[in-house]
Amino acid sequence: MYFLLNILGVFVVMGIVFLCSPNKRAVKWRPIISLIILELLITWFMLGTTIGSWVINKIASFFTWLIECASEGIAFVFPSAMANETVDFFFGALLPIIFIVTFFDILSYFGILTWIIDKGGWAISKVSRLPKLESFFSIQMMFLGNTEALAVIRDQLSVLKDNRLLTFGIMSMSSISGSILGAYLSMVPAEYVFSAIPLNCLNALILVSILNPVHVTKEEDIIYVPPKSEKKDFFSTISNSMLVGMNMVIVILAMVIGYVALTAGLNGILGVFVNGLTIQKIFSFIFSPFAFLLGLPLQDAMYVAQLMGIKLATNEFVAMMDLKNNLDTLPPHTIAVATTFLTSFANFSTIGMIYGTYNSVLSEEKSAIIGKNVWKLIVSGMAVSLLSAMIVGLFVW
């Protein structure tokens, strides 16, 4: 029975997202079905084979190395902060952006990143039927957070039309950051975290194809290369990259502080009318039917719905800490779907981070596309997490 509910959940989520699509006739189902089949094969490969886990770990190791390099620079300036066992969000997740932006800008300077985008995007686009840049972005955001991933392709974003800019905003809701991967692994089972990472990216491609179908001609499906006249010398380039990274850190920091504070303020107002009522509890009630469709018994479904509400209103860290304290009391299927669902940045503060990134690397006029389509970002982020959890749930009982 629960297995059938799990399968039904996939169709229900896809159906709801399709009903939300403003351009249903433009949705192409053949590449979507191909991506779903690919997801099932990948999930089996990762959860059912030893070599699958080894491959994902090697990829993760590279991005962990990037973060370690960034930490060296941060520790030089803030040695006391980095010496703590628990590093603050500012030092652990935001400041590494400065190095990561610089690193990938160096690759762009020598044409390496442009080549990778072109070839890697071409390979994925053969399955997804989406443009090269969108396809590459889905790979890139597996271990780079939404802000870092967007910063890496900011030259490409600067020449795109609004409809494609919205595509990247929607997809960014489903990414994670390599800088906090270690924190995830300290709280929840590693195999489900690593399973969620590629599934989130493929599901982001699927759902953006439904929520924001965009037709790109062969002439438009090119990787932008800045003209030589705009190319600065090497040291000017990396110095500018560091300043861009620092500007992003400041903007994102302001957005995160503001959104978390607004949530606390809203909870205080709700508590005046109903004692103990919070926005987290409201979201938990809304998501309880979806938790049941994860193939969970009623008691577990209500608990996972509670985690969903916590994640959306605050962040996945708070929800994972709660899950960590209850791992010994939960069955394997519940642990698998809950962990997979929580492994992404889909919450309200992430929208602020995406808007802040657009505002810092593009014009204010272009970044307005995010503010006008907040509901699409929320629907996509939650639907991607649900689909990933449901697919993993099919393989773990």
Side-chain angles (χ1 to χ4, degrees), residues 96-164:
I97 290 174
I98 299 171
F99 170 71
I100 291 172
V101 168
T102 305
F103 178 82
F104 281 98
D105 276 0
I106 291 172
L107 295 184
S108 295
Y109 183 87
F110 292 106
I112 298 171
L113 182 63
T114 306
W115 184 87
I116 293 173
I117 293 175
D118 187 47
K119 304 306 178 186
W122 175 85
I124 296 297
S125 66
K126 289 300 179 182
V127 177
S128 68
R129 302 295 180 183
L130 288 174
K132 295 176 184 177
L133 187 59
E134 283 85 335
S135 299
F136 171 78
F137 187 74
S138 70
I139 303 173
Q140 182 188 5
M141 71 180 193
M142 280 202 290
F143 291 103
L144 287 180
N146 39 38
T147 53
E148 298 99 318
L150 289 169
V152 166
I153 61 166
R154 65 185 185 279
D155 285 341
Q156 311 291 330
L157 294 176
S158 64
V159 298
L160 297 183
K161 296 178 181 178
D162 284 355
N163 57 353
R164 290 184 72 187

Side-chain angles (χ1 to χ4, degrees), residues 8-306:
L8 177 63
V10 174
F11 290 100
V12 170
V13 171
M14 294 283 289
I16 291 174
V17 173
F18 178 71
L19 290 175
C20 293
S21 175
N23 191 7
K24 297 177 179 62
R25 292 185 178 181
V27 177
K28 297 179 180 179
W29 289 103
R30 182 175 294 180
I32 290 174
I33 293 172
S34 298
L35 285 172
I36 292 174
I37 293 173
L38 179 61
E39 284 186 308
L40 293 173
L41 292 173
I42 288 175
T43 307
W44 168 80
F45 178 69
M46 290 185 296
L47 295 179
T49 66
T50 303
I51 191 173
S53 300
W54 180 85
V55 169
I56 294 297
N57 277 311
K58 289 299 179 183
I59 296 173
S61 295
F62 168 71
F63 289 95
T64 302
W65 171 77
L66 284 181
I67 302 305
E68 288 173 352
C69 292
S71 297
E72 289 288 331
I74 299 169
F76 180 78
V77 181
F78 302 103
S80 57
M82 296 301 289
N84 293 334
E85 291 185 7
T86 55
V87 181
D88 292 338
F89 177 74
F90 176 73
F91 297 103
L94 292 187
L95 285 184
I97 290 174
I98 299 171
F99 170 71
I100 291 172
V101 168
T102 305
F103 178 82
F104 281 98
D105 276 0
I106 291 172
L107 295 184
S108 295
Y109 183 87
F110 292 106
I112 298 171
L113 182 63
T114 306
W115 184 87
I116 293 173
I117 293 175
D118 187 47
K119 304 306 178 186
W122 175 85
I124 296 297
S125 66
K126 289 300 179 182
V127 177
S128 68
R129 302 295 180 183
L130 288 174
K132 295 176 184 177
L133 187 59
E134 283 85 335
S135 299
F136 171 78
F137 187 74
S138 70
I139 303 173
Q140 182 188 5
M141 71 180 193
M142 280 202 290
F143 291 103
L144 287 180
N146 39 38
T147 53
E148 298 99 318
L150 289 169
V152 166
I153 61 166
R154 65 185 185 279
D155 285 341
Q156 311 291 330
L157 294 176
S158 64
V159 298
L160 297 183
K161 296 178 181 178
D162 284 355
N163 57 353
R164 290 184 72 187
L165 284 177
L166 178 57
T167 291
F168 290 97
I170 291 173
M171 292 176 67
S172 296
M173 288 292 289
S174 305
S175 65
I176 68 162
S177 172
S179 62
I180 60 173
L181 194 59
Y184 288 171
L185 301 181
S186 69
M187 293 183 284
V188 292
E191 61 267 32
Y192 305 131
V193 172
F194 287 125
S195 297
I197 292 169
L199 291 182
N200 286 347
C201 298
L202 292 175
N203 281 323
L205 284 173
I206 290 173
L207 295 185
V208 80
S209 299
I210 299 175
L211 271 179
N212 187 47
V214 176
H215 175 68
V216 178
T217 64
K218 288 185 178 181
E219 291 74 21
E220 293 177 310
D221 190 15
I222 57 175
I223 303 302
Y224 173 69
V225 180
K228 291 184 178 179
S229 59
E230 295 181 9
K231 193 171 184 178
K232 300 178 181 179
D233 63 88
F234 179 74
F235 288 102
S236 296
T237 299
I238 61 174
S239 297
N240 182 66
S241 299
M242 294 171 189
L243 293 175
V244 168
M246 191 64 217
N247 182 52
M248 288 180 62
V249 168
I250 294 171
V251 172
I252 294 164
L253 184 65
M255 292 290 178
V256 171
I257 292 173
Y259 274 92
V260 172
L262 283 173
T263 300
L266 181 58
N267 285 341
I269 294 172
L270 291 173
V272 172
F273 295 99
V274 180
N275 185 37
L277 181 63
T278 64
I279 190 67
Q280 290 94 324
K281 290 183 178 179
I282 293 174
F283 287 141
S284 297
F285 178 77
I286 293 172
F287 287 117
S288 56
F290 295 102
F292 188 64
L293 287 172
L294 287 169
L296 299 171
L298 182 60
Q299 183 177 353
D300 287 358
M302 296 309 297
Y303 173 64
V304 173
Q306 179 183 335

Side-chain angles (χ1 to χ4, degrees), residues 180 184 311 314-321 342 344-345 347:
I180 60 173
Y184 288 171
K311 174 186 176 180
T314 53
N315 57 56
E316 73 280 3
F317 282 107
V318 180
M320 280 186 179
M321 284 299 297
L342 295 178
S344 79
F345 285 166
N347 55 48

